[in-house]
Amino acid sequence: MTAPTRMVRFLDKAGALAWGHSAVGSSVATMITGCGPHRPGAARSLLITDPPQSVEIGTVLPPTPVPPAVMCVGLNYKKHALETGHPAPLHPVVFYKNPSAVSGPFDSIVIPKICKPDTEVDYECELAVVMGPRPCRNVSKEEALEYVLGYTSANDVSARRWQGKKGGGQWSFSKSFDTFCPLGPGLLMAGTGVDPNNLGIETRLNGEVVQSSNTSDMIFDVASIISFLSQSTTLLPGTVILTGTPEGVGYARKPEPVFLQAGDVVEVEVEGVGVQRNEVEAEREGPEEPAKVWSHGKNAWIHP
């Protein structure tokens, strides 16, 4: 049996939760045997079924269930720091998103009512790291990548009005609304030759390229970020780390800023991961059910 190189977490046509090995754009996955990363060695022992067992993909889910934490790094691309007028930071700039912000790669991005009247909701394509089965604490840069399960794409959706104008410095609050962290569609498995520091990354808004870069422009590479975040701090299995966004964000565009509006379509792509495609809609009035990602096996990493 061989190890998967790209995994997809999904519901099959019957509505059952599953993980499988799947090529970018394929509607079929080959089932994977193994156990969840809460058990030792799981990240390195997942195998494609032998003989291969294929299943049709129904609904693509985030490549990880609701994580214990979503840790984020800001101002981590050289050209992005330049466009915002900030000097390159001496250490990673850290903030957090509420784990319930995680949504699927094809779910809608919902503009919150609390952002009215001038919503100023922005896009940010990012490479996301999913930590593997072992708790990670005080690791060196040299050993940091050994703790990674895989890599996916994220949109660090941001309500700029709350981030800067409504009291200032509200980074975590402005980025934590439900649906503000689409992940997926695929998970590039660590240890399979993927170089997270040399991947193309792009955002398209209504078909127009608005961000296009490479993770090689990051100020702090993935191993450095993990090592820094783990100092005297335990990174629990399943933790998601967003590694920053390149230049081209909406609020910094000239001559006028560009913000998401209901009816827009945002596509984020990281090389090898696939394309997440999210329509934008306004939040409806009245009470609503929690984000639907919570109903899809939040504690089920890998189906046995």
Side-chain angles (χ1 to χ4, degrees):
M1 292 192 288
T2 58
T5 57
R6 179 184 181 274
M7 292 207 301
V8 177
R9 179 172 172 264
F10 62 97
L11 300 178
D12 65 19
K13 292 296 185 178
L17 176 66
W19 283 68
H21 170 83
S22 180
V24 173
S26 176
S27 61
V28 176
T30 305
M31 299 298 290
I32 293 169
T33 63
C35 55
H38 57 283
R39 298 176 184 173
R44 308 297 179 180
S45 62
L46 301 177
L47 298 172
I48 297 172
T49 54
D50 185 17
Q53 178 187 348
S54 295
V55 62
E56 189 173 357
I57 298 172
T59 302
V60 180
L61 304 175
T64 170
V66 176
V70 180
M71 308 179 75
C72 311
V73 176
L75 292 174
N76 194 36
Y77 279 71
K78 302 179 185 72
K79 293 178 182 177
H80 176 53
L82 286 173
E83 75 172 349
T84 60
H86 291 88
L90 297 178
H91 305 285
V93 177
V94 181
F95 61 95
Y96 297 80
K97 294 175 86 82
N98 187 341
S100 68
V102 170
S103 59
F106 306 112
D107 292 340
S108 294
I109 293 171
V110 180
I111 297 176
K113 292 177 287 189
I114 196 173
C115 291
K116 294 179 178 179
D118 300 318
T119 54
E120 298 185 1
V121 173
D122 206 347
Y123 53 82
E124 293 190 11
C125 63
E126 307 212 7
L127 173 71
V129 179
V130 179
M131 299 303 291
R134 294 182 293 161
C136 175
R137 187 175 189 273
N138 288 335
V139 300
S140 67
K141 177 180 177 180
E142 290 70 27
E143 63 184 345
L145 297 186
E146 297 176 9
Y147 289 81
V148 174
L149 178 67
Y151 308 96
T152 190
S153 58
N155 189 345
D156 178 20
V157 184
S158 306
R160 301 298 188 192
R161 186 164 178 261
W162 277 102
Q163 186 177 0
K165 296 179 180 178
K166 298 288 287 186
Q170 296 275 19
W171 281 41
S172 292
F173 182 71
S174 69
K175 293 167 174 280
S176 286
F177 299 111
D178 289 350
T179 75
F180 268 32
C181 190
L183 293 178
L187 185 72
L188 298 179
M189 300 302 294
T192 58
V194 177
D195 180 0
N197 305 303
N198 187 24
L199 294 172
I201 183 169
E202 185 171 283
T203 301
R204 296 182 289 274
L205 178 59
N206 299 323
E208 177 186 353
V209 176
V210 289
Q211 290 183 283
S212 184
S213 186
N214 190 286
T215 57
S216 61
D217 191 50
M218 289 194 294
I219 297 169
F220 304 102
D221 64 18
V222 171
S224 297
I225 291 170
I226 295 171
S227 177
F228 179 82
L229 294 178
S230 76
Q231 297 310 301
S232 300
T233 303
T234 301
L235 307 183
L236 295 173
T239 294
V240 172
I241 301 171
L242 273 56
T243 59
T245 195
E247 76 279 7
V249 294
Y251 86 93
R253 298 188 72 84
K254 307 295 183 183
E256 296 291 336
V258 174
F259 295 114
L260 300 180
Q261 306 293 330
D264 285 345
V265 175
V266 187
E267 294 175 300
V268 166
E269 182 174 9
V270 171
E271 182 181 350
V273 172
V275 180
Q276 57 174 245
R277 185 181 187 277
N278 306 100
E279 297 183 6
V280 181
E281 61 183 54
E283 184 177 10
R284 294 184 292 273
E285 298 296 330
E288 295 186 44
E289 292 296 318
K292 62 184 177 181
V293 66
W294 286 89
S295 65
H296 294 321
K298 64 179 183 179
N299 295 318
W301 273 83
I302 302 291
H303 241 17

